[in-house]
Structures are given as structure tokens and as C-alpha cells.
């Protein structure tokens, strides 16, 4: 049965850990394994603009001996004349895997249901599992074991990063806190799924309305842009509603003294995070950005081995 990564809880705790172990190995030796030698091709489809996703997948696929086929939906039939299922059936005859950076989670689910090759969610409006593998890899590098650590996400709790932190963090056995104002909470179904996963792994889920309380004693503090792609028309309201959730030096000081700061980038300096924090000694954002490469390579290797 073909395995896909459409959302973070598609992986068990043991599977997530195995992928992170492999990512650490591949980071030490980037060309240790070449499962795409031939070379085989991996299709990487973009509905949204991208820097880190485009570069890390293209470089990673090449590192694994393959050829990245970068497809823009603006210049293809996908989403216009052709369904996700039909596109998947065309691609599976020619590529080893498909990664898709898109809007609706339902499109990814349709594509995965209609193909025999692995489909990877390279970002959707609901989840960002590739980024979470990179984030967890970064935290492991700096703090060792993930289980038992407390991570606080501040800002738009309904965004894909917050929801992926709930699922991936609890899968790792972490205590996940989400601090968000009313109307910006994560989806009830995601909270319920994360709570069930936490019960099995020893993690926990806590929702906060007040940012200051949420970071007390945290090992990791995370935020993301307040205005995600597709939300530009809401910018003025979002900046007003989320202003109190800015990660600044005063707020970060309430976390543990050695707490890590993460941001998936791009960052709006002076809005969700100050430059002082972003460029400060507790920030590990550049390690985090690099780790997209190693985490996605490990994910591809793992998925191809499941086939």
C-alpha cells in the first residue's frame, strides 16, 4: 500500500522518529543514499509562491540522485481543465513521487487517493508537515529527545503551522501550547485529533488566550506570519487582533532561559516577531531553514522504501 504524508499524524511516533534519525544521518553525509538514481523524477507542484520549499525539494531530489520536475499550476492543466486525480494518474506513469504546495487539503487527499506513487503535502492551508519535520529535527539537534519538551506557538492558531504543531508535536510526545485570540483558534477536529495522539504518546494540548501565560517555562517558542497567502485582504484586522501575540524580548524572557525560538520564514520583522528576537542568540531559524533539505530527503527515502 502506497504511503503518503498529507498531514502530520499520518506518521506514528516511531515512524516520525525514524525519519528524523535518517535526516540526521543524511545531514552528516548528503550523498550517502541515492534511491532516485537512474535518474528518476519527482514532480514538485506549486500553486503558491515559494523559496525554501522550492529550493529544498529541488536540491534534495538532486542529492538523492533524481531530477526535480518543477510544475506551476499557472502553466499546467491541474486545477483548470483537469482534476487532481487525472493529473496524478498521468504523473504516476512517469515520476517516483509527487509533492504539492497548494491551498485546499481536499485536493491533496484527492490526488493521493488517485495515484500509486507517494504524495507529499508541501504546504496546504491546513497543514505544513514538511516544515514540522524540519522544526522537530532542529529541536532535536539542540535539545536531544523531543518527548516531554514544552513548545508554545503564538499568533494565528488556525494557521497551518499551528495545526501541524498540534499534530506533529503530540506525535513526538511534546506538550503543545497554542496561544491565540478568540476567532483564531485551531480547528476543533484538529485539537481533538492532537489530544487523542497525546494520550498515546504522553504529550498534551493546551489552548491559551493570554500570550504571557502561554510561554512560561516553555522550551521552544514559535510563531509564523500573521498574514498567510490568501489572507491579504484581512491584513489590517489581523495586525490589530494579533498585535499582543508578538514575540519580543520581554515575552521570550518568560520562557526558559535557554528556550529556542523558531520561525518557518518568511518573517514580517516588527510584526509577529521583533528583529531583536529573530536575530538573537536563542533564534535557530537558519538551522531550521537548512533542515528543510535534510528532513524532506529523509521523508522521500522513507516513503520510497514503503512502496
Amino acid at each position: 500500500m502506497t504511503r503518503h504524508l498529507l498531514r502530520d499524524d499520518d506518521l506514528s511516533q516511531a515512524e516520525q522518529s525514524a525519519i528524523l534519525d535518517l535526516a540526521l544521518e543524511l545531514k552528516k553525509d548528503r550523498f550517502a543514499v541515492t534511491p532516485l538514481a537512474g535518474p528518476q523524477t519527482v514532480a514538485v507542484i506549486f500553486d503558491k509562491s515559494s523559496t525554501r520549499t522550492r529550493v529544498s525539494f529541488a536540491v534534495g531530489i538532486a542529492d538523492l540522485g533524481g531530477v526535480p520536475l518543477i510544475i506551476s499550476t499557472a502553466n499546467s492543466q491541474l486545477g483548470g481543465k483537469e482534476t487532481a486525480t487525472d493529473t496524478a494518474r498521468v504523473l504516476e506513469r512517469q515520476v517516483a513521487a509527487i509533492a504539492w504546495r497548494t491551498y485546499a487539503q481536499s485536493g491533496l487527499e484527492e490526488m493521493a487517493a488517485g495515484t500509486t506513487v507517494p504524495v507529499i503535502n508541501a504546504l496546504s492551508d491546513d497543514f505544513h508537515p514538511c516544515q514540522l519535520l524540519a522544526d522537530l529535527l532542529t529541536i532535536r539537534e539542540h535539545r536531544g529527545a523531543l518527548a516531554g519538551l514544552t513548545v508554545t506557538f503564538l499568533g494565528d492558531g488556525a494557521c497551518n503551522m499551528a495545526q501541524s504543531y498540534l499534530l506533529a508535536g503530540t506525535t513526538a510526545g511534546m506538550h503543545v501550547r497554542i496561544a491565540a485570540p478568540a476567532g483564531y483558534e485551531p480547528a476543533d477536529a484538529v485539537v481533538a485529533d492532537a489530544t487523542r495522539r497525546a494520550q498515546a504518546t504522553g504529550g498534551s494540548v493546551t489552548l491559551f488566550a493570554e500570550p504571557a501565560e502561554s510561554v512560561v517555562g516553555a522550551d521552544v517558542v514559535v510563531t509564523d506570519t500573521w498574514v498567510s497567502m490568501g489572507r491579504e485582504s484581512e491584513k489590517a484586522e489581523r495586525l490589530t487582533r494579533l498585535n499582543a501575540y508578538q514575540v519580543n524580548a520581554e515575552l521570550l524572557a518568560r520562557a526558559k532561559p535557554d528556550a529556542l525560538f523558531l520561525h518557518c520564514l518568511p518573517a514580517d520583522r516588527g510584526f509577529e516577531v521583533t528583529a531583536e528576537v529573530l536575530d538573537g542568540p536563542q533564534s535557530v531559524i537558519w538551522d531550521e531553514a537548512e533542515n528543510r533539505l535534510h528532513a524532506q530527503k529523509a521523508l522521500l527515502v522513507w516513503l520510497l522504501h514503503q512502496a
Side-chain angles (χ1 to χ4, degrees):
M1 179 179 176
T2 304
R3 292 292 301 272
H4 309 284
L5 182 63
L6 307 183
R7 43 185 279 165
D8 308 80
D9 55 353
D10 285 342
L11 301 173
S12 68
Q13 185 176 32
E15 290 169 340
Q16 181 193 76
S17 181
I19 291 170
L20 295 177
D21 287 343
L22 179 56
L24 289 170
E25 293 177 17
L26 294 178
K27 188 169 184 177
K28 293 177 183 176
D29 185 352
R30 279 180 53 177
F31 310 106
V33 297
T34 54
L36 293 171
Q40 298 182 68
T41 300
V42 175
V44 191
I45 307 170
F46 290 91
D47 291 354
K48 297 184 177 185
S49 60
S50 168
T51 298
R52 278 148 293 277
T53 298
R54 184 183 298 267
V55 172
S56 57
F57 266 112
V59 173
I61 292 162
D63 282 0
L64 297 175
V67 174
L69 174 62
I70 307 299
I71 302 171
S72 168
T73 49
N75 299 314
S76 72
Q77 301 294 350
L78 177 60
K81 294 182 179 179
E82 192 164 65
T83 66
T85 299
D86 288 352
T87 297
R89 287 173 175 165
V90 170
L91 291 175
E92 72 180 10
R93 302 291 185 97
Q94 303 177 61
V95 305
I98 302 167
W100 189 10
R101 181 179 174 94
T102 188
Y103 291 91
Q105 184 73 16
S106 58
L108 284 155
E109 293 168 357
E110 179 187 343
M111 179 171 282
T115 185
T116 58
V117 299
V119 174
I120 298 170
N121 178 354
L123 176 146
S124 71
D125 287 346
D126 292 338
F127 305 106
H128 200 352
C130 287
Q131 182 65 56
L132 259 291
L133 287 173
D135 283 21
L136 295 181
L137 178 60
T138 305
I139 297 166
R140 262 187 59 167
E141 285 183 310
H142 288 269
R143 291 292 177 268
L146 298 172
L149 295 179
T150 296
V151 55
T152 298
F153 181 95
L154 299 106
D156 181 2
C159 77
N160 51 19
M161 281 297 293
Q163 298 199 145
S164 272
Y165 256 100
L166 282 168
L167 298 181
T170 54
T171 294
M174 302 174 79
H175 302 292
V176 183
R177 303 171 178 175
I178 304 293
Y184 291 82
E185 302 96 335
D188 290 343
V190 175
V191 173
D193 289 340
T195 300
R196 281 192 292 271
R197 180 57 63 93
Q199 291 169 350
T201 63
S204 66
V205 172
T206 311
L207 303 184
F208 289 82
E210 294 299 323
E213 181 184 359
S214 73
V215 299
V216 173
D219 298 284
V220 183
V221 177
V222 189
T223 191
D224 189 15
T225 180
W226 291 340
V227 187
S228 298
M229 284 177 281
R231 301 285 189 178
E232 290 82 3
S233 64
E234 305 170 13
K235 182 174 182 177
E237 179 183 357
R238 283 174 167 269
L239 296 184
T240 299
R241 293 290 309 282
L242 295 167
N243 184 60
Y245 296 80
Q246 181 191 75
V247 180
N248 50 42
E250 180 181 0
L251 187 70
L252 189 59
R254 299 178 68 87
K256 288 185 177 178
D258 63 346
L260 302 175
F261 172 75
L262 280 79
H263 190 306
C264 66
L265 303 177
D268 292 322
R269 292 168 179 264
F271 290 95
E272 74 270 10
V273 60
T274 62
E276 181 182 12
V277 169
L278 198 67
D279 299 323
Q282 292 171 260
S283 174
V284 291
I285 59 171
W286 308 121
D287 292 342
E288 180 187 7
E290 178 192 343
N291 281 338
R292 285 291 299 277
L293 171 66
H294 311 298
Q296 287 164 187
K297 285 173 63 179
L299 173 63
L300 271 167
V301 172
W302 186 84
L303 287 170
L304 291 170
H305 283 173
Q306 307 307 305

